[in-house]
Amino acid sequence: MPATGRVTLSTRGDAKPRSHTRLDYAYLALVRNWPLWQEQLDQALGYITECIAGSMAVERASIWQIAGDAETRHLTCLDLYRQSAAEHSSGLQLAATGYPAYFDALDQGRIIDACDAAQDTRTSEFLESYLRPLGIGAMLDATLRRAGATRGVVCIEHVDGPRLWSEQERNFLLAVADLVSQLLLYGELRENEYRYRTLFDAVGDAIFMMQGDRFVDCNAKTLEMFGCQRSDIIDQAPYRFSPPVQPDGRDSVEKALEKINRALSGDQQSFDWQHCRLDGTTFDAEVTLTRLELRGQTYLLSLVRDASKRKRVERALLYSEASLRERSQHLQLLNDLAARLQGTTDVERIASQATDVLLQLSEAPSVAFLEFTDDGRRLRAIQSGGPDRGYSDPDQPLDCLGDLAEIALAEKGIILFSDQDHDPATPHQMPPHLLVRGYRTGLAIPLIQEQQTFGLIFLWFRTTYRPTASELETFQTFGKTVSLSMANALHVATLTHQAN
């Protein structure tokens, strides 16, 4: 059990009490043995039982811990060393109900010095089950005490008859028992620290300990969330890992200090915050600040939860709600347009009504309604609208749009064209004279009904514009509505002409 390089204090000797000097040396060797406090508890206890057995020349030395309530109280062996076999064991349990006198003696005093264990009333209960089978003649036990209560016992057992325990041996074992009590307490504290540190680091949220406005501790999730090393974050302020301004427009330093001071006053703070990682990238977070008092000092416990996913979902829901509202408004506009155009035979009125509605649907700065001439070979502008009033000049050439018109009519669907120098993903190039006027994107809606072509409607945008699927669907429905009205107007005109 002893680690390599340790000094073995003694070997088994005769049963005579050892000198005060020898026991003092053994005790000093224990208290100066700093590795005891660094090793696993079972290794440390094994070293102590070997030291006791060797220095006191006994066959058996053990350390026991008390556990359980009044009904289940029992001793559990943490380590038992047999010197003749040089072996360790553990796990044996002794129930208080089976040995009431012994347990009572442990509670009443610090030491049980049973020179003749079979005759001593404090230990004679063990005669048939323990003493006689193992040949134990004498026992010397020192209790482990904490906060005035018995927590265990250090036990040495001499075989081959009774043994008179000297004052020096009793004092030595009491001193060792106090050392073991400290070691067990230290082990528990270290285990608790390990347990809480494990929980601290295993939590899925970042946890900070703050003193004032500075971080003094953090868990592993913090380093992952902020993309940094521990040295990057300790002794830094929370606004070091925040953009200069929060989404609400407030200065991050000012707002952070306000939240910190409120929390320090005892008012727990829970709020949304935008943090940034060490590389400067931002992320949304939910932050909770709670005041703590530890060893007379005031701290803030800061819990930071990455809210990026929640924010994305919220934004998606808001976008979805806005899209549904917009879609509903668009459908209402299209329904109103269909109602107004029903029975209309005036093409220019159809173009005017359609242009007004399209400006509401798209907010394009320029809309042009173009109709094919009677021969179907040329386009002419019959209506324009928008702030730019595109194609309001009847002398404005339209031949440049012929290619785009042919493409739209050939595809029988909406086409998008733009300045390919800025938007190479768009397959169709914006006409040069429109680029000169500052337009960057155009959209063509062909007017076709039952294989009959009536014209096109063009929309011009001064920024790069990419319609959503919902917008494209709206434009397609709009085109069908207007095309149907144009077809009806042409049909009525044809019938009227035939009647005359």
Side-chain angles (χ1 to χ4, degrees), residues 327-346:
R327 180 64 175 158
S328 178
Q329 293 169 356
H330 288 174
L331 288 174
Q332 185 62 48
L333 286 171
L334 292 174
N335 289 335
D336 291 345
L337 175 64
R340 289 197 301 270
L341 295 182
Q342 186 176 7
T344 301
T345 59
D346 185 344

Side-chain angles (χ1 to χ4, degrees), residues 469-499:
S470 176
E471 289 172 329
L472 283 174
E473 184 180 349
T474 298
F475 290 144
Q476 289 168 351
T477 303
F478 170 85
K480 292 177 181 179
T481 300
V482 176
S483 297
L484 181 60
S485 296
M486 294 285 286
N488 288 335
L490 179 61
H491 181 64
V492 171
T494 300
L495 291 178
T496 301
H497 177 73
Q498 291 175 350

Side-chain angles (χ1 to χ4, degrees), residues 4 6 223 301 368 430 488:
T4 303
R6 284 180 174 163
L223 308 181
L301 178 66
M430 176 77 80
N488 288 335

